[in-house]
Amino acid sequence: MSKPTNNMDYYNFFNLQSYLDQCKIKGFGFSFRYLKDYVNTKISMFKYKNLPKGLTSRIVETALCFNNFLCLYKNSIYPEGLLCRWLPCGELDEYWRPTKVNLITLTGKPVANDVDFDDIVWLHDNSMDIIPFITITEYISKINEIETTLNKNIKQARVPAFFTGSKEQKAQFEKLYAKAESNDAFTIADPKVAEAMKQYNFNFAIPPKDLVEIMKNYMNWTIQSFGVYGGSSQKAERMLVREVQSQTDYADTIYQDEKDCRADWIKEANEKFNWNIELVEAYKEYTLDSIKLSQAYAVATIQNQGKFEDIDKKEETQDGTI
C-alpha cells in the first residue's frame, strides 16, 4: 500500500486557536474582531441546496476557507457521500495530476487508500486552490500594523504640552485651565501670561486622519480579495469613473472565479454521484445588486453635476484630475 508523498498536520479547522497553533502562526497580536468580520463574510457568500446527508453549507464553506485539497467521495462505507481531504500518492499523470490518492477526514482520520483520482470530486475555492484564510490574515496583519501606529499617535497627542514661564504664570495658567474645564465663559489673567509662555507642539510623521484612510483602504482590499466590492475611502468626486469601474471589475473577477469553481465541482458531483446539489449566491442575492445600484447612482449623480464626461469617453477634467 502506497503512502502519502507529503507529511502534513491535521486539525479541526472549526477550532481557530488549534488552527493557528498547527499552522505555526504565532503572535496573533491583532484583535479577533477582524477575523470574525472577514472570515464570517467569506464563508457566508455561498450556500447550497440538496447537499448529502450531514453536510451543510457552513461546513463546506468553512472547509474551503481553511483548507485546500478537499474532495467529495462516495463508497460502500459512505454511501451518502463524504467531504474529506485527499493526499497524492503514486505517480503523476501528464498534467501533474495524481493518479492515486489517499483520503482522510477533515479531522485527519483515514477514509480510504489508493483511490483513483477520477473517483473523487476536487473542491476549489479558487482556481489556484490557495487557502483564503492565509491571504485574509496577510491583509489583517497590515491593518493591525496601521491601527497600532494610529493608537500610538493618539497616545502621543495626549501627552501634555510643555510651556515655559514663572511660578506666578504657572499658577495663573492652572487657573485658566480650571476655568476651561468648568466651561466658564470668560476669565481674567495677567497679560504677561500670553506674552511669556511658549508652547511646544508635537508633530506627527503621518497625520492620524491619513492613517485612518490608509487603514480603510486595506480593509477594502481585504474584502475585495475574496470578491466583495469595498468601495474606496476617497471622495467620489476625486475618483475617475475608470477607477471606480476598475475596483468593481477586480472584485467581480474574483467573485466570478469563486462562483465558477463551485459550479464546476457541483456539476461534476451531480453527474458522478447522481446528486442534485444547487448553488445559491447568497452574497449576490442579498447585497451585490444593491451595491451596484448604489455605485450606478453615485456615478450618475457625479456626472449630472458635470464632474465627469460620459463613461465611454475620456474621464478627465481640463487639468487632468478630478
Side-chain angles (χ1 to χ4, degrees):
M1 182 180 297
S2 57
K3 296 182 179 180
T5 57
N6 55 339
N7 183 25
M8 302 177 66
D9 291 328
Y10 309 109
Y11 42 81
N12 180 353
F13 58 82
F14 284 101
N15 184 334
L16 187 56
Q17 189 58 53
S18 173
Y19 185 95
L20 301 178
D21 292 341
Q22 292 288 346
C23 290
K24 307 299 187 294
I25 301 177
K26 303 297 183 182
F28 242 38
F30 53 78
S31 173
F32 274 81
R33 68 182 183 279
Y34 292 128
L35 287 177
K36 177 189 74 68
D37 293 343
Y38 296 136
V39 174
N40 185 67
T41 299
K42 170 61 180 168
I43 66 176
S44 301
M45 293 176 66
F46 296 97
K47 298 187 183 300
Y48 306 89
K49 295 180 180 179
N50 308 320
L51 285 169
K53 183 178 180 181
L55 196 58
T56 66
S57 297
R58 177 173 175 265
I59 292 174
V60 173
E61 286 301 312
T62 305
L64 286 169
C65 184
F66 284 85
N67 296 267
N68 54 6
F69 298 104
L70 291 166
C71 67
L72 290 168
Y73 178 64
K74 182 178 179 180
N75 63 4
S76 58
I77 302 176
Y78 300 99
E80 299 289 342
L82 180 70
L83 174 64
C84 52
R85 299 189 69 187
W86 62 267
L87 298 171
C89 62
E91 300 294 328
L92 300 177
D93 67 13
E94 295 81 358
Y95 299 104
W96 291 90
R97 299 185 312 170
T99 55
K100 297 283 186 178
V101 294
N102 292 343
L103 305 180
I104 58 172
T105 65
L106 299 178
T107 53
K109 298 178 181 178
V111 174
N113 293 313
D114 292 321
V115 177
D116 288 340
F117 189 72
D118 291 336
D119 289 341
I120 67 172
V121 175
W122 188 2
L123 274 65
H124 306 76
D125 170 79
N126 53 80
S127 294
M128 293 288 290
D129 201 22
I130 294 175
I131 298 174
F133 180 76
I134 295 175
T135 59
I136 290 174
T137 53
E138 287 181 356
Y139 279 109
I140 292 178
S141 66
K142 295 295 184 182
I143 296 172
N144 178 68
E145 183 178 353
I146 298 167
E147 186 178 50
T148 301
T149 304
L150 176 62
N151 290 337
K152 289 181 178 179
N153 273 12
I154 293 174
K155 288 181 179 179
Q156 183 177 337
R158 291 162 55 188
V159 174
F162 288 93
F163 294 91
T164 61
S166 65
K167 291 183 178 180
E168 178 183 2
Q169 291 167 340
K170 176 179 178 293
Q172 291 197 36
F173 186 79
E174 290 175 343
K175 178 181 178 182
L176 286 172
Y177 191 81
K179 289 282 186 179
E181 283 285 284
S182 59
N183 295 317
D184 286 357
F186 66 92
T187 188
I188 299 175
D190 192 326
K192 294 181 180 179
V193 172
E195 296 176 2
M197 288 188 175
K198 297 179 181 179
Q199 181 178 0
Y200 296 87
N201 295 319
F202 290 98
N203 295 318
F204 300 120
I206 302 179
K209 65 178 183 179
D210 291 346
L211 287 171
V212 171
E213 292 301 308
I214 296 172
M215 189 165 66
K216 286 181 179 179
N217 281 333
Y218 269 101
M219 290 176 172
N220 289 333
W221 295 335
T222 303
I223 59 177
Q224 287 176 10
S225 73
F226 50 82
V228 176
Y229 177 72
S232 173
S233 63
Q234 300 183 49
K235 292 183 178 179
E237 63 269 18
R238 298 187 61 184
M239 295 181 63
L240 296 174
V241 172
R242 185 188 300 112
E243 185 177 352
V244 175
Q245 291 178 316
S246 176
Q247 292 184 9
T248 306
D249 292 345
Y250 173 72
D252 285 350
T253 300
I254 295 174
Y255 178 84
Q256 188 63 42
D257 178 63
E258 294 172 340
K259 174 187 172 184
D260 290 345
C261 286
R262 287 161 175 79
D264 288 344
W265 64 255
I266 287 175
K267 181 176 183 294
E268 183 180 354
N270 287 343
E271 293 175 352
K272 184 169 293 186
F273 302 136
N274 195 28
W275 291 344
N276 188 32
I277 301 174
E278 296 180 23
L279 177 65
V280 178
E281 298 179 70
Y283 165 63
K284 183 176 181 180
E285 188 172 300
Y286 298 131
T287 62
L288 191 57
D289 291 338
S290 62
I291 289 175
K292 286 190 173 182
L293 181 62
S294 298
Q295 293 170 351
Y297 176 79
V299 171
T301 300
I302 293 170
Q303 289 175 334
N304 289 336
Q305 292 174 347
K307 298 289 185 179
F308 297 104
E309 299 177 13
D310 187 79
I311 292 178
D312 296 326
K313 297 179 181 179
K314 187 176 181 181
E315 307 97 346
E316 294 182 354
T317 56
Q318 293 181 352
D319 63 354
T321 60
I322 295 179

